[in-house]
Amino acid sequence: MKKFLFVITLFISTLTANSIDTLVNSAILKNSELKSIEKSIMIANENILLATKYSNPTLSLGLTDIHTNENYNKRDLEPMQAQSIGITQAIPITDKLEINQSIQITNKTILALSLEDKKLLLKSKIYELAYKIAILKEKRDFIIKQKQNLNKIEKLQNYKYQTSNIDVKSLFDTKIASKSFDIVLNNLDTNIQTLKLNLEEITYKNIKDININTTINKKLIKLKSDNHPKIKALQQQLRLNKQQEAFEEASKTSDIKLNATYFNRREFQDYVNVSVSIPLSIYNTENIKVKKAQLQYLKTKDDLQTLKQNFIISNKILQKELDNSYKNHELISKDIISLQKAIEKSLNINNRFKNNTTKIIQNLNKTISLKIAALDEKTKYFTALSKAIYYEGK
């Protein structure tokens, strides 16, 4: 029966607590910045459709040879007097529309990669906050346990005080230490609530509890620089720069404008006028634009190399931080175990309180300091691990 109740309790707690993966997925669906990028991708789809479209033709209506005297309303006096309707259409004579379409496709790819990059950043931040909350709760639970030990000391002190075997100052110091524990617990509660609000800010969800494993293990960060969306986005940017250069080269040959106008005349034969106009490239602006595109390509190439180097160095730094925190935590934990055993032995009522109060409190304070130090190393470990989520690209 007890086993059955335990399973039921565990099942209910699982339902009420948020799993970290569920929290991440919920945040990705609700995050405003990600939604904005998704809308930009939808706009990019429309730009792809528009890229190969000709510009709209121009419709013109006109009257020729309008008299300024009393015969202004007579349209049959001269052969040149006519009403006209015309159409002008700009026609590209290079493949710049196709190049423009490839530019828009690349723009969409960059936006999609940017979306994946932002998702990784969001996931990394959620994990970091969740780990910090979980470790602060471990600190809180530990302080509560040590306060219980302090209450045992006070209980033993009261017993000894009644038998005149303990001084008042020792009892007073224990009460002061108990109050200090209350202040520490209050600060921890405040920090936990603040971090939960920070988490709510980016997940759009009120966080009560989170299921996350805080067991420290040896970890090797696997950097996936070439497959990381941020690096792939810059690689696509290089491609975009080349496409932009090709577009500017194609644009050096201007569009021609074809015009066809129909003239209607009274008393005379109608006629059609056809003309072609070509802008002249005489101010060298097109060559300047090509040069700018070439320089932008070289700049992006340098940016890509810098980013790859930053990824490699960041990976090495995070690995060092993980290894260092893991070793420190293991070393501190060994000292804590031996101190805790000494305290438990001293607090055993059956031993008739052989050790003095000062010695027990000293051991208690040492245990607390070491445990806090161990949990601080744990926080550093999982902060580095959370950041590694971004660099590993998963």
Side-chain angles (χ1 to χ4, degrees):
M1 183 64 180
K2 288 182 179 179
K3 184 177 180 181
F4 175 75
L5 290 174
F6 173 75
V7 172
I8 292 294
T9 303
L10 183 62
F11 176 71
I12 293 172
S13 65
T14 304
L15 289 177
T16 56
N18 293 289
S19 72
I20 188 68
D21 290 334
T22 302
L23 201 58
V24 169
N25 292 334
S26 175
I28 288 173
L29 289 174
K30 297 178 181 178
N31 186 268
S32 299
E33 187 178 3
L34 297 183
K35 286 183 178 181
S36 176
I37 298 175
E38 288 171 351
K39 298 296 188 301
S40 296
I41 292 173
M42 294 171 66
I43 294 171
N45 283 327
E46 300 303 319
N47 288 336
I48 292 171
L49 296 176
L50 288 171
T52 54
K53 302 287 185 184
Y54 281 14
S55 59
N56 288 328
T58 302
L59 175 67
S60 59
L61 303 172
L63 296 172
T64 59
D65 287 346
I66 300 174
H67 289 287
T68 58
N69 56 23
E70 67 275 6
N71 295 321
Y72 70 89
N73 62 339
K74 295 180 180 180
R75 306 296 300 154
D76 56 353
L77 296 178
E78 299 178 10
M80 294 303 295
Q81 290 180 325
Q83 299 79 241
S84 65
I85 181 170
I87 291 289
T88 303
Q89 175 67 59
I91 301 174
I93 55 176
T94 63
D95 59 347
K96 69 177 183 180
L97 292 185
E98 288 73 19
I99 297 172
N100 186 35
Q101 186 180 50
S102 67
I103 286 173
Q104 300 308 321
I105 292 171
T106 306
N107 270 325
K108 178 188 172 183
T109 303
I110 292 171
L111 285 169
L113 289 167
S114 175
L115 179 63
E116 293 306 310
D117 183 63
K118 294 293 183 183
K119 286 179 180 179
L120 285 172
L121 282 171
L122 180 61
K123 181 179 179 180
S124 174
K125 189 61 180 178
I126 290 172
Y127 265 84
E128 183 180 345
L129 289 171
Y131 278 128
K132 285 181 177 179
I133 291 169
I135 295 168
L136 281 179
K137 285 185 175 180
E138 287 184 37
K139 283 186 181 181
R140 188 181 184 280
D141 292 341
F142 177 75
I143 296 297
I144 289 173
K145 184 177 179 181
Q146 301 313 307
K147 187 181 177 182
Q148 291 171 350
N149 287 335
L150 204 62
N151 291 337
K152 289 182 181 179
I153 293 174
E154 188 174 356
K155 181 179 178 181
L156 292 169
Q157 283 178 322
N158 287 329
Y159 170 77
K160 290 296 183 180
Y161 180 70
Q162 291 173 3
T163 59
S164 302
N165 289 326
I166 193 169
D167 62 286
V168 176
K169 182 181 180 303
S170 178
L171 184 59
F172 182 75
D173 289 342
T174 304
K175 290 183 180 294
I176 294 295
S178 181
K179 290 295 180 183
S180 298
F181 276 25
D182 290 335
I183 294 172
V184 172
L185 287 171
N186 184 57
N187 289 336
L188 284 171
D189 286 336
T190 301
N191 290 338
I192 290 170
Q193 291 304 317
T194 300
L195 288 173
K196 282 185 176 181
L197 289 173
N198 291 335
L199 196 55
E200 183 179 347
E201 183 180 11
I202 60 175
T203 61
Y204 303 87
K205 193 170 184 179
N206 184 12
I207 309 301
K208 293 183 179 179
D209 198 10
I210 308 169
N211 286 332
I212 190 166
N213 185 8
T214 59
T215 304
I216 289 186
N217 296 304
K218 289 284 286 183
K219 171 73 176 177
L220 179 64
I221 300 173
K222 298 177 182 178
L223 180 65
K224 299 179 181 178
S225 57
D226 290 336
N227 291 323
H228 195 280
K230 193 173 185 69
I231 288 177
K232 289 170 74 174
L234 262 185
Q235 289 170 340
Q236 287 296 316
Q237 186 64 47
L238 277 176
R239 182 180 181 184
L240 181 65
N241 295 148
K242 278 296 183 185
Q243 290 169 337
Q244 191 66 42
E245 181 185 344
F247 180 80
E248 298 299 345
E249 282 284 357
S251 297
K252 289 168 69 174
T253 304
S254 303
D255 298 346
I256 64 170
K257 291 184 179 180
L258 178 64
N259 174 264
T261 305
Y262 170 77
F263 291 88
N264 172 254
R265 300 184 297 175
R266 296 180 184 178
E267 306 298 334
F268 300 97
Q269 187 174 356
D270 296 347
Y271 69 95
V272 174
N273 182 56
V274 177
S275 64
V276 175
S277 60
I278 303 174
L280 299 176
S281 303
I282 60 176
Y283 296 118
N284 203 34
T285 56
E286 290 79 9
N287 287 329
I288 294 172
K289 289 179 180 178
V290 171
K291 186 66 175 178
K292 283 175 62 179
Q294 291 171 344
L295 291 172
Q296 189 62 48
Y297 173 83
L298 295 174
K299 177 184 179 300
T300 305
K301 195 173 182 180
D302 290 337
D303 291 341
L304 180 59
Q305 292 304 314
T306 300
L307 183 62
K308 285 184 176 180
Q309 179 68 6
N310 288 344
F311 265 61
I312 292 170
I313 297 301
S314 296
N315 180 74
K316 289 180 179 178
I317 291 172
L318 289 174
Q319 188 65 62
K320 289 288 185 184
E321 290 176 355
L322 280 175
D323 294 342
N324 185 62
S325 295
Y326 174 80
K327 290 176 183 176
N328 289 343
H329 184 270
E330 291 296 303
L331 291 171
I332 296 170
S333 296
K334 291 178 181 178
D335 292 334
I336 292 172
I337 291 171
S338 60
L339 273 172
Q340 283 180 326
K341 287 181 178 178
I343 292 170
E344 289 173 4
K345 183 179 179 181
S346 300
L347 290 175
N348 189 343
I349 296 180
N350 294 330
N351 73 2
R352 298 186 177 277
F353 206 40
K354 291 178 181 178
N355 290 353
N356 61 53
T357 305
T358 304
K359 181 66 175 177
I360 297 175
I361 294 178
Q362 285 177 350
N363 287 339
L364 196 64
N365 288 335
K366 286 180 184 177
T367 305
I368 293 170
S369 297
L370 286 171
K371 185 66 176 180
I372 295 299
L375 290 173
D376 286 341
E377 292 297 335
K378 203 172 187 180
T379 301
K380 292 177 185 177
Y381 174 91
F382 282 108
T383 298
L385 191 63
S386 299
K387 291 178 180 178
I389 290 172
Y390 173 73
Y391 289 100
E392 287 184 316
K394 63 179 184 179

